Amino acid sequence: MPSQPSRLSASSDPPAGGWTSADEQAGVARRLVVVTVVGSGYVGTTTAALLTALGIKTYAVDIDEAKVDKLKDGKAPFYEVGLDNLVAYGIDNNYLVPTSSYEESIPHASIVISAVGTPENADGSPDLRYVYSALESIAQNATGPLIYVQKSTVPVGTGRAIIAKYAELSDKPFSYVSAPEFLREGTAVVDSIEPDRIVVGGDDADSKHIITTIFRDISSRRAEIADIADQPIQNLPEPIAFNMSIESAELTKVTANAFLALKISFANSIAKLADSTNADVAEVMDAVGSDKRIGRAFLNAGRGYGGGCFPKDVKGLISSAKANNVAMDIMTAASNLNDSMPSYIVDRLKDELGELETKKIAILGLAFKAGTSDVRKSPGIKIANLLQQAGSKVSAYDPQAHNEALADLDEGIALLDSAQLAIKNADAIVVATEWPEFKDIDYSQTTAKLLFDAMNLLDSSMIVRNGLEYRGVGRRLKL
Ligand code: UGA
C-alpha cells in the first residue's frame, strides 16, 4: 500500500521559525502549489478560476476540446455571471492553463481536484465512469505524491473505493480528501467566495489542513476576487470549516441537497392543498418560515425542482440507502411529488381552458432556474412538451437557454426572439422560470386571457390590471 503523503512536498515545509499566521501559510501554499482541476463544468471551471484569482497556477483539464478552446479564449464554457471575468484574469496572467492533456497537466501538480460529471444511471444510482476514467489518467501520469480532492458529488463509500483503486493503479503516495461543493448555478461565484461552510473529509490531517487553508483563502480574499469578477459581496461571516471523515463528508453533500429538495416538495404538497382550500401557500410559508427553526428559504412552491443536482442527488440517496438495506421512503415521496408537478400544472391549465388541443400557449422560461442557460431536468421544458403532446401550439422564450433547450424540446415548439413576441398571439401564458425580466413584460400586449404563474413570481394584481386572469401554484387571487 502506498503511504499517505504527510505534506504537499518537501519544499512546503514550514520556513525556519515556523509559520506565523494563517495568512502566511496561505501565501506559502499559493506560491508552491500547482493544482490540476479535472472537469470544466460548473464546479470545475469555477474552482479553477477562483484558484487562479489567488495566484495559484492551475491546469483545467477536460476531454472536451470545445470547452478547452473556449477557456483558452478567456471565456467560461457556459453562461455563469461573473465567471468570464475570472477566467479572462486567469488566462491573461498565465495562471490558468486549459488543456485536454493529462500528460501536460498531471506531472506538475501536487493537488488534483476532480470535478467530473456523475450523471444518473437508469436505476437512479450515479454513473461513476468519468470519475474512474479520470482516476486512471491521473494515476498513469502522476510523478509524485498527490492530494486528490473529490469535488464531484459521489455516493457515500466512493472515497474508500477510489483509494483502493488508486493503490492498484499507482505506487505513488495518494491522499484522498472529500471536499464537497455547495455552489448554486447562477450564483456560482458569489456562493464560492462567501460560502456558509467548508467541508473537508479525509484520513490525513495535513492534507485536510492544506485544502482547508486554500478554500479559506478564497473567502478571506473575497473582496479582491469579487472585484475581478465584478460581483457584489455581502460581507458574510467567514465560513465555518468542518473537519470530518471521508464518509461523513460524502454524506453531508447529498444530505444537504436532499433536505432542500424535501423542503421544496413539502411546499408543493401544501400548495396543492392550498389550491383546494383557497389558502395562499406564499402567505403560509412566509409565516411558517419566520420560525428560525424552519427558515423561509426553499419553501417557494411552483413547478418543482430541476437541474443537474437535486433530481439526481435525491435519486442517488435513495439508491445508496437501498444498497445498504435502509428505507428512504421520505425521499421517494419527495421525488414522486416533484415528478408530478409539471403534469399537475398542465392539468390545471386544462381545467381553466376547457381543452388544450389547438390552444396557443406561450412558455416563458426554459432554464431550470434563473441566471443560467442550463436546461437539465428543466420543468419548463417538461411543461412545454406535455402541452405540445396534448395538441397545443406552443411558443417559448428564454433569455439564455435557447441553444441548450433545442435538443430537449419536442418538434413543433417554436422558439421566439423575445418574451413579447412569444405572448403576442397566445391564448394562455405559462411562467416557468423566475427570470426577473418577466416582471417587466407589457402584459397588455397579448391576446391571452390567462396567465399561469408556475413560479409564483408575479404580482397577481398587475396581471389582473392588464386584463388577464391569474393563476399560481397554491395561490389565492389577490385583487
Ligand atoms: C443546488 C444546491 O442549492 C447547491 O447548494 C448545490 O451545490 C448544487 O445543487 C449542486 O449540488 O451542485 P442548483 O441546482 O444550482 O443548486 O440550484 P438551486 O438554486 O438549488 O435550485 C434547484 C431547483 O429548485 C431549481 O429548479 C429551482 O427553481 C427550484 N427551487 C428552488 C424551487 O422550486 N423552490 C425553491 O424554493 C427553491
Side-chain angles (χ1 to χ4, degrees):
M1 271 290 278
S3 61
Q4 303 284 344
S6 62
R7 293 214 165 78
L8 262 183
S9 67
S11 56
S12 68
D13 281 344
W19 280 320
T20 52
S21 69
D23 261 3
E24 201 172 321
Q25 289 184 37
V28 171
R30 275 199 297 279
R31 286 194 304 278
L32 296 175
V33 167
V34 173
V35 179
T36 293
V37 179
V38 183
S40 297
Y42 285 91
V43 171
T45 304
T46 307
T47 306
L50 290 169
L51 294 174
T52 61
L54 293 182
I56 295 178
K57 175 152 184 182
T58 306
Y59 289 89
V61 57
D62 199 292
I63 48 175
D64 181 345
E65 295 281 359
K67 283 186 180 165
V68 174
D69 288 346
K70 218 150 171 218
L71 285 167
K72 281 183 175 163
D73 280 350
K75 293 198 177 68
F78 44 81
Y79 172 73
E80 179 64 44
V81 66
L83 196 54
D84 277 352
N85 292 344
L86 285 170
V87 170
Y89 176 89
I91 295 288
D92 292 348
N93 290 285
N94 295 319
Y95 292 133
L96 183 60
V97 189
T99 176
S100 57
S101 161
Y102 283 88
E103 292 84 346
E104 180 189 351
S105 56
I106 297 296
H108 309 286
S110 46
I111 298 175
V112 174
I113 300 179
S114 180
V116 298
T118 51
E120 201 178 312
N121 284 319
D123 66 356
S125 64
D127 176 352
L128 298 179
R129 88 177 79 157
Y130 303 115
V131 172
Y132 281 103
S133 63
L135 188 76
E136 267 181 43
S137 304
I138 294 163
Q140 279 158 12
N141 292 286
T143 51
L146 279 187
I147 297 177
Y148 172 101
V149 181
Q150 186 63 270
K151 277 251 164 227
S152 302
T153 303
V154 293
V156 56
T158 305
R160 292 285 158 216
I162 287 180
I163 292 169
K165 183 75 192 166
Y166 195 87
E168 282 170 23
L169 296 167
S170 167
D171 58 1
K172 305 281 184 308
F174 180 77
S175 179
Y176 187 95
V177 174
S178 170
E181 182 55 64
F182 300 101
L183 65 80
R184 289 163 299 173
E185 288 178 29
T187 48
V189 173
V190 291
D191 283 354
S192 304
I193 60 180
E194 293 193 292
D196 289 335
R197 75 295 217 189
I198 297 166
V199 171
V200 173
D203 297 333
D204 179 55
D206 283 357
S207 302
K208 286 196 279 190
H209 176 67
I210 288 163
I211 298 309
T212 308
T213 303
I214 291 175
F215 286 111
R216 268 198 187 291
D217 201 17
I218 289 174
S219 108
S220 33
R221 293 178 59 199
R222 68 184 92 166
E224 284 165 60
I225 301 175
D227 205 37
I228 300 169
D230 195 19
Q231 288 298 296
I233 46 170
Q234 297 179 63
N235 288 313
L236 298 176
E238 287 286 332
I240 307 166
F242 292 91
N243 172 353
M244 55 180 80
S245 71
I246 294 173
E247 289 79 2
S248 295
E250 289 168 340
L251 198 51
T252 298
K253 165 69 194 186
V254 280
T255 302
N257 275 2
F259 189 72
L260 293 170
L262 197 59
K263 283 185 94 175
I264 298 168
S265 281
F266 180 72
N268 283 331
S269 307
I270 301 299
K272 285 184 178 180
L273 182 58
D275 274 335
S276 304
T277 55
N278 204 29
D280 185 305
V281 71
E283 289 175 354
V284 172
M285 291 310 172
D286 285 347
V288 170
S290 69
D291 183 328
K292 282 192 272 308
R293 294 168 304 171
I294 297 172
R296 179 63 179 85
F298 283 71
L299 287 176
N300 294 322
R303 62 0 179 203
Y305 57 79
C309 303
F310 285 177
K312 176 170 74 75
D313 292 352
V314 167
K315 293 206 167 102
L317 182 58
I318 295 166
S319 135
S320 271
K322 198 170 160 204
N324 287 284
N325 293 318
V326 173
M328 196 57 81
D329 299 354
I330 189 168
M331 293 318 305
T332 307
S335 176
N336 290 343
L337 189 285
N338 193 62
D339 290 346
S340 79
M341 290 315 291
S343 51
Y344 176 73
I345 284 158
V346 170
D347 288 347
R348 287 200 48 219
L349 264 173
K350 191 172 175 205
D351 292 345
E352 296 291 342
L353 297 172
E355 57 166 351
L356 293 172
E357 217 170 339
T358 73
K359 289 287 187 302
K360 289 182 254 168
I361 302 184
I363 305 286
L364 299 182
L366 298 169
F368 84 95
K369 61 185 250 183
T372 176
S373 58
D374 193 344
V375 297
R376 282 176 293 172
K377 298 265 158 67
S378 163
I381 291 188
K382 274 189 209 152
I383 294 169
N385 288 344
L386 285 172
L387 288 167
Q388 177 79 4
Q389 287 151 22
S392 303
K393 208 170 162 350
V394 180
S395 56
Y397 170 76
D398 189 282
Q400 292 292 341
H402 283 194
N403 284 344
E404 289 78 354
L406 272 174
D408 293 342
L409 282 174
D410 280 359
E411 221 179 293
I413 295 175
L415 286 171
L416 277 297
D417 288 344
S418 72
Q420 212 67 59
L421 268 179
I423 68 170
K424 194 167 173 227
N425 298 314
D427 297 313
I429 302 167
V430 179
V431 176
T433 308
E434 73 282 26
W435 287 105
E437 63 196 82
F438 294 161
K439 293 181 182 169
D440 301 326
I441 294 170
D442 183 354
Y443 288 102
S444 70
Q445 300 302 306
T446 172
T447 48
K449 293 281 169 281
L450 173 73
L451 183 136
F452 198 106
D453 185 358
M455 293 306 297
N456 292 348
L457 173 76
L458 304 176
D459 172 8
S460 56
S461 45
M462 178 272 282
I463 295 302
V464 173
R465 273 200 308 278
N466 279 292
L468 288 90
E469 290 215 44
Y470 177 90
R471 296 288 179 272
V473 182
R475 285 191 75 188
R476 193 165 53 90
L477 186 59
K478 275 195 229 77
L479 294 174

